[in-house]
Amino acid sequence: MNPALSVKSLFVSYHGNEAVKNVSFSIEPGKLVGIIGPNGAGKSTLLKALLNLIPKDKGEVQIYGKSFIELRKSVAYVPQRSNIDWDFPITVLDTVLLGTYPKLGLFKRPKKSEKEWALQCLQRVGIAEFSKRQIGELSGGQQQRVFLARALAQESEMLFLDEPFVGIDVSSEETIITILKELKNSGKTILVVHHDLSKVSDYFDQLVLLNKELIGFGDINQVLNAEVLAKAYSG
Ligand code: ADP
Ligand code: MG
């Protein structure tokens, strides 16, 4: 069986400064994987390069054994909240509807059935009552739920989330991790950038430990040992 995601010798740089160096790993379907490492370790860069949002210097990324280009619609992405323009005038429901666009195709407007589906996704994350609000009027936790709902609306096989738990309330965090675990149990593959070490063993099956290079990869207990962590978090 092909892995859900395979990354081979990935290199990414900004203006000649290497941010991700020779990273290789592969992930089986149905895993919830944490990408951890200190600030500036290249975690966001790794996700963006996997998604082809920024150019790679070198390396190969395959999803279910196929090139990323063929299967890009099968990956939903929740970017870091701090990188989103929350003044953009768009309602909660319309934000979630954006998730249906890849399936809908170009130039087709969402119909009643898509709107109902978007509302169901909002219900699942527990904020259907805010569907008509502007996204800028929501709290951090509510905004993060909207973006998870958008990812759910996309019905993708894979989900990439960048620091979804930063700056949100406890109840939103619990809702989000519960849904991620449900998705994983239904066979989806999920990558979550997470910058601190708290709760990693409750949340994830496997870890990618990054500090430009791949410092550790595997099941939680293999990666969460003092020696490996010291290597990632020192200097
Ligand atoms: P992390 O998400 O682990 O905190 P990033 O992937 O955001 O790390 O950044 C990795 C490195 O690349 C950092 O040194 C950062 O300053 C640099 N970097 C990130 N984005 C850019 C950019 N757009 N232009 C130049 N340098 C960048
Ligand atoms: Mg980051």
Side-chain angles (χ1 to χ4, degrees), residues 146-180:
V146 173
F147 275 74
L148 178 58
R150 184 186 67 166
L152 293 173
Q154 198 176 328
E155 297 188 275
S156 57
E157 278 311 304
M158 226 178 282
L159 265 89
F160 293 177
L161 300 95
D162 199 342
E163 309 250 18
F165 307 122
V166 168
I168 73 172
D169 57 287
V170 176
S171 127
S172 293
E173 175 157 352
E174 278 168 6
T175 303
I176 290 169
I177 193 66
T178 303
I179 292 172
L180 294 182

Side-chain angles (χ1 to χ4, degrees), residues 14-15 19 37-46 48 80 162-163 193:
Y14 297 102
H15 318 292
N39 271 329
K43 304 181 297 295
S44 297
T45 300
L46 173 64
K48 288 181 206 162
Q80 226 168 312
D162 199 342
E163 309 250 18
V193 169

Side-chain angles (χ1 to χ4, degrees), residues 50-195:
L50 295 180
L51 289 158
N52 267 331
L53 296 173
I54 55 170
K56 310 173 187 56
D57 293 338
K58 258 201 291 188
E60 203 190 331
V61 178
Q62 288 195 330
I63 293 181
Y64 294 102
K66 295 196 172 152
S67 80
F68 192 86
I69 308 288
E70 286 175 74
L71 286 174
R72 63 191 310 158
K73 287 179 192 171
S74 58
V75 186
Y77 173 48
V78 178
Q80 226 168 312
R81 218 164 49 83
S82 55
N83 293 343
I84 296 166
D85 177 8
W86 296 106
D87 293 329
F88 192 77
I90 184 169
T91 66
V92 167
L93 185 66
D94 284 341
T95 306
V96 178
L97 271 171
L98 290 174
T100 66
Y101 277 51
K103 280 224 169 106
L104 206 58
L106 217 52
F107 308 123
K108 296 225 180 75
R109 311 198 87 236
K111 290 199 272 307
K112 208 175 157 206
S113 58
E114 276 91 27
K115 284 186 184 158
E116 275 163 12
W117 170 235
L119 265 175
Q120 280 176 36
C121 296
L122 277 172
Q123 243 147 27
R124 186 164 177 193
V125 301
I127 51 165
E129 79 246 49
F130 298 130
S131 67
K132 294 196 175 101
R133 291 238 190 130
Q134 298 288 311
I135 49 168
E137 299 170 19
L138 303 181
S139 73
Q142 290 164 341
Q143 289 172 341
Q144 200 60 266
R145 292 178 195 228
V146 173
F147 275 74
L148 178 58
R150 184 186 67 166
L152 293 173
Q154 198 176 328
E155 297 188 275
S156 57
E157 278 311 304
M158 226 178 282
L159 265 89
F160 293 177
L161 300 95
D162 199 342
E163 309 250 18
F165 307 122
V166 168
I168 73 172
D169 57 287
V170 176
S171 127
S172 293
E173 175 157 352
E174 278 168 6
T175 303
I176 290 169
I177 193 66
T178 303
I179 292 172
L180 294 182
K181 285 180 178 173
E182 287 166 6
L183 291 170
K184 156 199 124 156
N185 289 334
S186 71
K188 313 271 185 195
T189 309
I190 305 163
L191 263 64
V192 182
V193 169
H194 191 66
H195 79 280

